[in-house]
Amino acid sequence: MFGVFHNLFKQLAEKARKLRINVRSAAKSADRWCKAHSGSIGYYAAVAALLALLGTASHAYRLAPEERADSGGEAPMAAVALQQAEMTPEPTQEPARWVWPLEGEILGEYAEREPVWSATLMQWQTHAALDIAGSPGEAVMACADGTVKDAWSDRLWGNTIVVEHAEGWQSVYAGLNTLKLVTPGDEVSAGQVISSVGNSSACESEMPWHLHFEVTREGEPVDFRTIVQEQTD
């Protein structure tokens, strides 16, 4: 941009120099013309006639810029166009691609409203999750692209990982064998291994080795099987 303005300044300076030369030359020519015709029509009358002639020519010059360009005359100085930043369109967010975190038998059904029997706690309770059977140490994968929100271990649910996804979705993986594969803040993709099947959940310790898997949207529990079904429809 500095180079553009530098060149523009040089062009303006050159045009101003030429204009001064042309003005002086025109003034001398006009003075000679007026003196030459002063004998017949008077000096001041000659000046007035010359000014009228120049005004008519100037008006015609302003009205026909395209004719000046066609005739080979020097075009007026072009204005410097300001380059405007192009607008970058927002990328269209694609729907999340959902995958099962573990392929296995469903040991514990999703029961958000109707209580189911817990053999470990010896009581009826709701179960807004799926318990998926797996072999000890079998890989557990992220169900969709997202960011690891938290990872901890407690006596009730054992080793637990929480992953945040787009559009308010969140998935929870509990009873895991390890928390060493990912840490909070990690970006994960659908199908990426984040842990392995364990039996660290005290509240489901009477069940075979499995993954306790929950999915919510804006804090509301959702049956993962309905999400996968909608994706395939």
Side-chain angles (χ1 to χ4, degrees):
M1 183 62 74
F2 176 80
V4 172
F5 282 107
H6 179 70
N7 292 334
L8 179 60
F9 179 79
K10 290 176 62 178
Q11 293 176 12
L12 288 173
E14 180 63 20
K15 289 182 180 294
R17 185 184 67 81
K18 292 181 179 179
L19 181 61
R20 288 195 298 271
I21 295 173
N22 292 337
V23 168
R24 285 196 297 269
S25 176
K28 292 179 180 179
S29 298
D31 184 66
R32 288 195 299 270
W33 187 88
C34 290
K35 289 179 178 180
H37 293 80
S38 60
S40 57
I41 61 175
Y43 181 80
Y44 291 107
V47 171
L50 179 60
L51 291 176
L53 181 62
L54 291 175
T56 302
S58 175
H59 180 69
Y61 184 85
R62 290 195 300 268
L63 290 179
E66 65 282 354
E67 294 180 3
R68 298 197 308 275
D70 294 340
S71 63
E74 188 174 359
M77 182 183 63
V80 178
L82 296 179
Q83 183 177 5
Q84 298 181 354
E86 296 182 0
M87 297 296 293
T88 303
E90 288 289 336
T92 302
Q93 189 177 39
E94 296 182 357
R97 181 176 70 89
W98 301 99
V99 299
W100 282 93
L102 177 67
E103 295 289 342
E105 179 186 356
I106 303 299
L107 302 176
E109 294 289 343
Y110 180 90
E112 178 188 355
R113 294 182 176 85
E114 297 182 4
V116 294
W117 179 253
S118 170
T120 303
L121 301 177
M122 299 297 291
Q123 65 181 25
W124 292 91
Q125 62 180 20
T126 58
H127 186 252
L130 293 173
D131 292 328
I132 308 173
S135 303
E138 186 177 355
V140 172
M141 300 171 289
C143 66
D145 296 349
T147 304
V148 177
K149 179 183 179 181
D150 207 349
W152 73 88
S153 181
D154 59 38
R155 295 183 60 185
L156 187 62
W157 289 106
N159 297 324
T160 304
I161 294 175
V162 179
V163 178
E164 283 189 331
H165 311 284
E167 299 180 347
W169 290 96
Q170 181 172 279
S171 56
V172 179
Y173 313 77
L176 300 170
N177 184 49
T178 181
L179 298 177
K180 296 181 179 180
L181 300 185
V182 293
T183 57
D186 287 352
E187 299 289 331
V188 296
S189 56
Q192 178 179 334
V193 177
I194 59 174
S195 188
S196 58
V197 175
N199 191 27
S200 59
S201 174
C203 63
E204 294 181 347
S205 59
E206 293 298 319
M207 299 177 63
W209 287 56
H210 69 281
L211 167 68
H212 179 90
F213 177 54
E214 303 177 14
V215 176
T216 61
R217 187 175 192 184
E218 303 295 346
E220 296 296 323
V222 182
D223 187 344
F224 186 71
R225 283 177 295 193
T226 64
I227 303 173
V228 176
Q229 183 61 42
E230 290 174 357
Q231 179 175 263
T232 57
D233 287 345

